Amino acid sequence: MTLDNALIDKPLKVSEINKIIKETFRQSFYNLTIEGEVSGFKPSATGHWYFTLKDKESQISAVMFRFSRTPSSYIPQNGDMVTVYGNIDVYEPRGTYQIICQRIVRQGDGEILIELEKRKQYYQSLGYFDIENKKSIPKYPTRIGIVTASNGAAIEDMLNTLKKRAPSLDVVIYPCLVQGESAAEDISNQINNANLIPMCDVLIVGRGGGSKEDLLCFSDPLVIEAIHNSEIPVISAVGHEVDYSLSDYVADVRAITPTEGAVIATEGIYSDRVKLKTISNELSQLIKNILLKSQNSLSALSDVKAIMLTKVNSYHVPSPDGVNSMLNHRINSSLIKVSWLYDLISSNINDKIKDYCHTLEGDELKPLIEKKIINNEYNINNLSKDLSYLIRAKVKDKEQELAATSKELSALSPKEVLKRGYSIVYSKDGKIIKTSADVKVNDQITIDLYDGKLNAIIGE
């Protein structure tokens, strides 16, 4: 229904007049900018904001729906002077009207944004934000410096992330204020201090989220100059993803959160740790496969021995009995050792078998066989030494684990508890008394102490 329809000469229903008013308001009152004081602010469980915008003489209802806000949206407080941007709409069921806010800004924030934009353009003209001036973050830092408040969620998140991703890294904390009048001076001083004695390979400068006023110190000229002059690469990690400070532009790298700053600083170390773990898993599986294959091949070694002895016996050499006896003894000895150590040999035994078979076809059989046997014994001796060392190390580890477990169990034993001054009280029939309700006057009790027992009677 349009306004023209309302001009006909007949009575209107309430719903009809409300529709006409709604349409009129929508066509006439849009893209408004309204200033006023916030009153009766009430966020709903669904995430919408309901409040009243008023001045000294009048007021208007207002609502800001959840989908119109961003994570960094200013949250109004009762008594705040604000500027809202939006449209007037009518709620037909009640015949009431309100302003639907698309954006809300606390008065003064606009001036802040204008000043920051001017400052941004100034430093941009000086080349402070140029890509060619930015230093690369070292791939393998050994020590990381953090310029932030010494307590709070930001430093805790960064330390936890660094410990998880690169536990071998040293961390130096340069504590400072991160909001307030003296924060900018404090931050810049700590950046300069870090550069006086350059112990760190990279600096993370930042804090957690906050209002525009809270983050202003990271856009201060003192901080901008300190970051620009830093010989140590700087990661700016201020606020949340939607927050921007001038430190983000002048720093060598911008992180969307403090935690992300720790991630960027350790990217090289962490990625290599992941690669090494993957390679280790692949090698472990490869060795298992080879050892399984080797285990299956051991059954063929006895046949190889028979073939070798047959070939040796087919040759006529001086003192055949002595040579054959020596070869037979060495072959038997080698086969026994190989069988015992098959689960530690990571090379492919099938390839060795092929080598032996190929050698058997040669003309100078015995010298080559003897050479193979000697080399084999040398390798087996080395493997035996390695095995012995691994066994001793494993036994020592298990002994240490057993000792630690035994110590923990001993600390939890009842005797140890009693030794610290506690006691256990039993009733006459041997039940443990847990509360005063379990006994009455004149009951006989036994008190179990560390070095003996006491018998007593409950008095009044």
Side-chain angles (χ1 to χ4, degrees):
M1 181 178 291
T2 64
L3 186 59
D4 292 336
N5 299 131
L7 300 179
I8 61 176
D9 188 16
K10 71 170 186 176
L12 296 173
K13 294 180 180 179
V14 174
S15 59
E16 291 176 332
I17 190 63
N18 278 347
K19 286 183 179 179
I20 293 173
I21 294 173
K22 181 182 179 73
E23 188 64 27
T24 302
F25 272 43
R26 281 188 168 180
Q27 294 179 8
S28 303
F29 299 95
Y30 59 92
N31 291 339
L32 300 177
T33 302
I34 305 175
E35 295 179 344
E37 178 185 340
V38 174
S39 176
F41 179 76
K42 184 180 180 181
S44 71
T46 56
H48 308 316
W49 292 347
Y50 298 94
F51 57 97
T52 299
L53 201 61
K54 67 178 185 178
D55 58 20
K56 293 182 179 179
E57 299 177 354
S58 188
Q59 65 182 31
I60 183 174
S61 296
V63 60
M64 187 170 190
F65 295 117
R66 179 183 58 191
F67 51 77
S68 297
R69 304 199 323 264
T70 64
S72 64
S73 291
Y74 154 69
I75 302 177
Q77 304 291 324
N78 291 330
D80 285 355
M81 296 299 298
V82 299
T83 302
V84 300
Y85 305 84
N87 310 315
I88 300 294
D89 199 2
V90 173
Y91 184 57
E92 292 183 46
R94 294 183 182 177
T96 58
Y97 69 92
Q98 58 191 354
I99 179 168
I100 310 298
C101 303
Q102 303 299 326
R103 190 160 65 95
I104 181 169
V105 178
R106 184 166 56 176
Q107 289 188 7
D109 284 355
E111 290 81 357
I112 292 173
L113 293 175
I114 293 173
E115 177 60 29
L116 288 180
E117 184 60 29
K118 290 180 180 177
R119 193 176 297 171
K120 176 184 174 183
Q121 293 178 3
Y122 170 72
Y123 285 107
Q124 189 171 18
S125 68
L126 296 179
Y128 278 32
F129 307 157
D130 292 350
I131 297 296
E132 55 268 24
N133 292 333
K134 296 187 181 297
K135 297 175 285 294
S136 60
I137 304 299
K139 186 176 182 179
Y140 304 113
T142 57
R143 186 178 291 110
I144 290 179
I146 302 177
V147 180
T148 191
S150 58
N151 50 34
I155 184 63
E156 184 176 344
D157 290 344
M158 283 189 279
L159 291 176
N160 288 338
T161 302
L162 292 173
K163 183 177 180 180
K164 180 180 178 181
R165 292 172 61 86
S168 62
L169 271 179
D170 292 333
V171 180
V172 179
I173 299 174
Y174 297 90
C176 62
L177 298 173
V178 291
Q179 67 184 65
E181 293 183 1
S182 59
E185 182 179 2
D186 213 16
I187 295 168
S188 62
N189 286 340
Q190 289 293 49
I191 295 173
N192 294 332
N193 289 338
N195 279 270
L196 285 177
I197 306 177
M199 299 185 297
C200 302
D201 302 308
V202 61
L203 286 178
I204 303 174
V205 179
R207 56 156 289 164
S211 66
K212 288 183 175 61
E213 286 88 347
D214 293 339
L215 306 181
L216 272 178
C217 54
F218 290 92
S219 296
D220 191 274
L222 289 174
V223 175
I224 295 173
E225 293 291 348
I227 294 175
H228 176 69
N229 294 326
S230 175
E231 295 295 330
I232 303 172
V234 175
I235 299 173
S236 175
V238 181
H240 302 297
E241 183 174 2
V242 294
D243 298 322
Y244 268 90
S245 299
L246 296 187
S247 62
D248 295 333
Y249 295 96
V250 69
D252 299 295
V253 175
R254 184 227 175 191
I256 59 177
T257 62
T259 300
E260 180 69 15
V263 169
I264 293 173
T266 57
E267 186 57 37
I269 295 175
Y270 182 73
S271 62
D272 279 5
R273 287 185 67 202
V274 172
K275 290 177 183 177
L276 285 174
K277 186 175 181 179
T278 301
I279 293 172
S280 176
N281 291 338
E282 291 176 351
L283 287 175
S284 177
Q285 188 59 47
L286 178 61
I287 290 173
K288 288 180 181 178
N289 293 338
I290 292 174
L291 292 179
L292 180 61
K293 190 175 181 181
S294 300
Q295 183 179 3
N296 295 332
S297 300
L298 281 174
S299 60
L301 287 177
S302 59
D303 296 334
V304 174
K305 172 188 172 183
I307 294 172
M308 293 170 68
L309 289 175
T310 301
K311 289 288 185 180
V312 170
N313 292 330
S314 66
Y315 285 84
H316 298 285
V317 296
S319 303
D321 294 335
V323 174
N324 286 338
S325 176
M326 177 191 68
L327 289 175
N328 187 40
H329 174 72
R330 288 189 178 182
I331 291 171
N332 276 324
S333 176
S334 296
L335 287 173
I336 291 171
K337 291 179 181 179
V338 170
S339 298
W340 181 61
L341 292 170
Y342 76 86
D343 57 333
L344 293 177
I345 301 173
S346 60
S347 60
N348 193 331
I349 295 180
N350 280 338
D351 292 338
K352 292 185 178 294
I353 293 172
K354 292 178 182 178
D355 289 341
Y356 282 132
C357 293
H358 177 72
T359 303
L360 295 175
E361 299 173 359
D363 295 330
E364 300 177 356
L365 180 64
K366 282 191 293 187
L368 291 176
I369 291 178
E370 289 180 349
K371 184 177 180 181
K372 283 285 184 182
I373 292 173
I374 293 171
N375 290 339
N376 214 26
E377 288 180 340
Y378 175 78
N379 292 333
I380 290 174
N381 286 335
N382 287 338
L383 287 171
S384 180
K385 292 178 183 179
D386 292 342
L387 175 62
S388 177
Y389 172 78
L390 290 173
I391 291 174
R392 289 198 302 271
K394 197 68 176 178
V395 169
K396 186 175 181 181
D397 290 343
K398 292 301 180 183
E399 287 177 346
Q400 291 176 348
E401 291 179 10
L402 180 61
T405 304
S406 177
K407 186 176 180 181
E408 292 177 0
L409 290 174
S410 177
L412 296 174
S413 69
K415 280 294 184 182
E416 291 298 320
V417 175
L418 294 178
K419 190 176 181 180
R420 296 198 295 270
Y422 294 92
S423 61
I424 304 175
V425 182
Y426 296 91
S427 64
K428 185 178 180 179
D429 55 0
K431 295 181 179 179
I432 295 177
I433 297 172
K434 299 180 180 179
T435 69
S436 58
D438 293 339
V439 296
K440 58 182 182 296
V441 176
N442 295 325
D443 278 357
Q444 293 183 4
I445 61 173
T446 300
I447 304 173
D448 197 355
L449 303 174
Y450 171 69
D451 58 350
K453 299 178 183 291
L454 293 177
N455 295 319
I457 296 177
I458 301 297
E460 295 184 358

